[in-house]
């Protein structure tokens, strides 16, 4: 196994997700579903590391990818222009994807997976809602919110299929990658809704939000290296994860 094989596995999972949610009209007006390849990598991490993997688990991973796509579509809605055709179709695309993953889950008949993903969706949405609330959270609370949004559904997937030994690495890796992305956006003046809330949270701090984020990123990078050093991952996966962080 090498980086080409890893990337090919991610592309195959992405293709399988697209096949299950492809709809000509939605594709025309809203584009292809938003798929986060970093999340797909961590979904596949147990498989790539040689864990037992069958068709049922593979279908379940596709379902988690569709759930992410559905939630990302709803995240894209522009409240100020929610009546436009594109925005209405964006809402419909999220609902359509939701219907598709429920259909797959029904065929799988895995009640435990259905329950865990349902609870995971609720938890993720509760954290997403915090962006629109008036309460002021601490920076660490916002880090936790970002982590839940990025990792909650994969954590539930790991829980159902006994892959929990990968959870700490997954949480650290995905939070690290997302914070690096947010810093780039911050530097370019493209602040997400959650970054705007975080700016409010540090308004009385001596350091800027960017400085505080860089400090958190440095800490997460050290933690990730510790996990990689002590993990049972094969060497190619360790190299891939390091390269993923360096190039993000």
């Amino acid at each position: 196994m090498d980086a080409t094989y890893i990337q090919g596995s991610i592309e195959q999972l992405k293709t399988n997700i697209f096949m299950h949610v492809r709809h000509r009209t939605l594709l025309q007006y809203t584009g292809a579903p938003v798929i986060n390849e970093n999340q797909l990598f961590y979904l596949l991490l147990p498989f790539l590391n040689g864990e037992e993997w069958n068709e049922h688990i593979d279908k379940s991973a596709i379902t988690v990818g569709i759930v992410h796509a559905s939630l990302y579509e709803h995240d894209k809605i522009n409240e100020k222009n929610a009546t436009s055709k594109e925005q209405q179709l964006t809402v419909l695309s999220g609902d359509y994807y939701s219907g598709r993953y429920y259909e797959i889950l029904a065929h799988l008949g895995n009640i435990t997976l259905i329950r865990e993903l349902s609870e995971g969706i609720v938890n993720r949405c509760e954290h997403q809602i915090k962006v629109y609330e008036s309460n002021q959270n601490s920076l660490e609370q916002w880090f936790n919110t970002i982590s839940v949004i990025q990792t909650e559904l994969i954590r539930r997937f790991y829980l159902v299929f006994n892959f929990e030994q990968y959870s700490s690495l997954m949480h650290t890796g995905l939070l690290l990658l997302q914070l690096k992305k947010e810093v780039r956006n911050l530097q370019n003046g493209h602040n997400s809704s959650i970054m705007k809330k975080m700016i409010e949270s540090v308004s009385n701090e001596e350091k800027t939000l960017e400085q505080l984020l860089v400090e958190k990123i440095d800490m997460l990078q050290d933690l990730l290296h510790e996990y990689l050093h002590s993990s049972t991952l094969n060497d190619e996966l360790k190299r891939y994860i390091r390269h993923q962080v360096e190039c993000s």
Side-chain angles (χ1 to χ4, degrees):
M1 182 183 66
D2 56 14
T4 302
Y5 178 83
I6 295 171
Q7 194 59 44
S9 298
I10 293 170
E11 290 299 326
Q12 184 60 58
L13 178 55
K14 186 192 295 187
T15 298
N16 291 339
I17 292 168
F18 285 163
M19 285 174 58
H20 280 85
V21 298
R22 183 177 177 82
H23 190 288
R24 185 174 57 82
T25 300
L26 295 179
L27 192 62
Q28 177 183 351
Y29 286 97
T30 66
V34 176
I35 303 292
N36 184 324
E37 289 195 5
N38 294 327
Q39 289 176 323
L40 296 189
F41 167 74
Y42 279 102
L43 263 177
L44 289 172
L45 184 59
F47 162 73
L48 293 168
N49 199 43
E51 300 289 348
E52 182 179 348
W53 194 272
N54 55 37
E55 185 178 358
H56 184 90
I57 299 175
D58 199 55
K59 283 281 189 184
S60 300
I62 291 170
T63 301
V64 175
I66 296 173
V67 175
H68 277 137
S70 170
L71 293 169
Y72 280 133
E73 287 303 302
H74 285 134
D75 291 346
K76 284 159 56 177
I77 302 303
N78 182 344
E79 295 178 351
K80 296 181 180 178
N81 192 25
T83 58
S84 72
K85 181 185 228 180
E86 288 76 11
Q87 291 292 343
Q88 290 178 44
L89 284 170
T90 299
V91 174
L92 285 174
S93 66
D95 294 341
Y96 175 71
Y97 301 159
S98 298
R100 293 297 287 145
Y101 69 69
Y102 279 124
E103 182 181 17
I104 296 170
L105 286 173
H107 284 133
L108 289 174
N110 188 329
I111 302 302
T112 302
L113 179 63
I114 293 171
R115 183 183 67 247
E116 290 294 338
L117 287 184
S118 297
E119 292 176 359
I121 291 168
V122 169
N123 193 27
R124 183 196 183 279
C125 290
E126 285 176 346
H127 277 270
Q128 188 76 47
I129 289 168
K130 290 182 179 181
V131 176
Y132 304 98
E133 294 176 339
S134 57
N135 349 340
Q136 191 172 29
N137 294 323
S138 69
L139 204 56
E140 283 301 322
Q141 287 173 317
W142 284 120
F143 289 146
N144 182 55
T145 287
I146 293 171
S147 181
V148 169
I149 291 170
Q150 291 295 312
T151 70
E152 180 68 6
L153 299 180
I154 303 173
R155 183 182 75 81
R156 301 281 180 158
F157 171 79
Y158 283 0
L159 181 65
V160 171
F161 294 107
N162 299 314
F163 297 142
E164 292 169 277
Q165 66 268 33
Y166 298 95
S167 285
S168 295
L169 179 62
M170 180 270 296
H171 276 275
T172 304
L174 284 177
L175 177 57
L176 172 57
L177 292 167
Q178 186 61 28
L179 290 184
K180 293 191 78 171
K181 178 182 176 181
E182 295 291 358
V183 167
R184 289 196 305 275
N185 289 338
L186 197 62
Q187 291 168 341
N188 294 325
H190 303 304
N191 296 343
S192 63
S193 298
I194 201 165
M195 282 298 107
K196 291 174 183 175
K197 297 292 286 188
M198 291 173 79
I199 289 171
E200 293 176 11
S201 296
V202 301
S203 57
N204 296 322
E205 298 280 345
E206 293 182 1
K207 297 179 181 178
T208 65
L209 177 59
E210 183 179 339
Q211 290 172 321
L212 293 167
L213 287 175
V214 169
E215 288 180 0
K216 182 69 172 181
I217 287 170
D218 289 342
M219 184 273 287
L220 289 170
Q221 287 186 147
D222 290 342
L223 185 58
L224 185 69
H225 289 313
E226 287 179 20
Y227 285 143
L228 290 177
H229 181 71
S230 60
S231 78
T232 57
L233 291 183
N234 64 63
D235 289 341
E236 191 56 50
L237 282 171
K238 291 179 181 180
R239 280 193 290 271
Y240 187 91
I241 291 170
R242 291 189 182 102
H243 179 75
Q244 185 184 47
V245 171
E246 289 168 3
C247 295
S248 64

